[in-house]
Amino acid sequence: MTDAAADLRTRWTRTLVAARQGADGPDPVPYADNLLARWAEPQRRYHTTEHLIAVLGHVDTLAAHAADPELVRLAAWFHDAVYLPDRSENEERSAGLAERALPEAGLSAEATAEVARLVRLTVTHDPAADDSNGQVLCDADLAILAAPPKAYAAYAAAVREEYGFVPEEAFRDGRAAVLRQLLRLPRLFHTPYGVHEWEEPARHNLTVELELLAAS
């Protein structure tokens, strides 16, 4: 096992035990291993274990803004646990996985429902103004948009690799539509930290990528 996988196992165990709030439950490790196997599937190029690590790190940065950061962390683990680039129901299937696994792992019905709700929210990344958990998860998931130019270019290239089955012209049109949709949003980020630290560089990166697509 790699150091990264061992660290993720430890993080999962700590998070799940905390989210149980003293309730008994089975060994957390098999659940971690199942999720890590999913995140390492060969069809993934961007939605990989590295993305999971990054999102968990961003949740740590934003944790003070969440009503229940442990449930947000669990949602981060599940939010792309089911991922096939050619399917449109990945978030729903990921939420369904959480709804099956978490009660068995010792989580309450209420906590399980919140995790599943958060996973489904990543379809739109549009949390309500009073949804602090949703704001933290959505901001953490989209933080890559504000990465330094080299890291952002690597992200964009990995997304293209995941959609390698799509012809170039169709991909350019589809990706450009996504970028324009994002740029039309009143704001990309919702937490005070996200608005202050990530909004401006994210909009710059999206604009530059859109210009590159138009020129290619």
Side-chain angles (χ1 to χ4, degrees):
M1 177 181 295
T2 66
D3 290 344
D7 179 64
L8 283 167
R9 262 186 170 187
T10 299
R11 294 189 64 162
W12 165 266
T13 298
R14 183 170 61 243
T15 297
L16 179 60
V17 169
R20 286 173 179 167
Q21 297 186 333
D24 291 332
D27 182 0
V29 170
Y31 296 90
D33 289 346
N34 179 279
L35 287 164
L36 289 172
R38 291 173 177 275
W39 282 92
E41 291 165 341
Q43 76 275 12
R44 298 168 182 257
R45 294 296 183 272
Y46 169 65
H47 295 89
T48 62
T49 305
E50 287 72 23
H51 174 58
L52 172 61
I53 292 169
V55 173
L56 289 170
H58 295 314
V59 172
D60 289 346
T61 298
L62 302 172
H65 299 294
D68 195 328
E70 301 300 351
L71 297 186
V72 178
R73 290 184 177 101
L74 288 177
W77 274 89
F78 279 96
H79 83 287
D80 284 320
V82 178
Y83 186 76
L84 293 170
D86 61 341
R87 303 288 289 271
S88 61
E89 68 276 15
N90 291 314
E91 292 86 357
E92 180 59 35
R93 294 177 67 202
S94 296
L97 178 65
E99 289 170 330
R100 295 190 300 274
L102 288 174
E104 180 185 295
L107 218 63
S108 70
E110 294 77 11
T112 297
E114 174 65 357
V115 172
R117 181 190 73 83
L118 291 170
V119 172
R120 291 185 172 102
L121 189 59
T122 61
V123 174
T124 62
H125 293 95
D126 187 22
D130 61 350
D131 182 7
S132 62
N133 287 341
Q135 290 176 359
V136 169
L137 179 63
C138 290
D139 280 15
D141 193 27
L142 292 184
I144 182 61
L145 301 181
K150 186 175 181 179
Y152 183 88
Y155 146 73
V159 170
R160 179 64 183 107
E161 286 184 36
E162 279 189 344
Y163 287 89
F165 57 90
V166 178
E168 184 63 30
E169 184 175 354
F171 177 82
R172 285 201 309 270
D173 291 346
R175 180 66 177 170
V178 169
L179 298 175
R180 284 192 290 268
Q181 180 183 24
L182 289 168
L183 286 167
R184 282 195 297 267
L185 293 174
R187 58 182 183 176
L188 296 165
F189 299 98
H190 302 271
T191 63
Y193 183 96
V195 171
H196 186 266
E197 299 292 331
W198 295 335
E199 186 77 22
E200 184 176 345
R203 288 189 176 276
H204 173 76
N205 285 335
L206 292 171
T207 301
V208 169
E209 185 185 358
L210 189 58
E211 291 171 349
L212 290 172
L213 287 171
S216 62

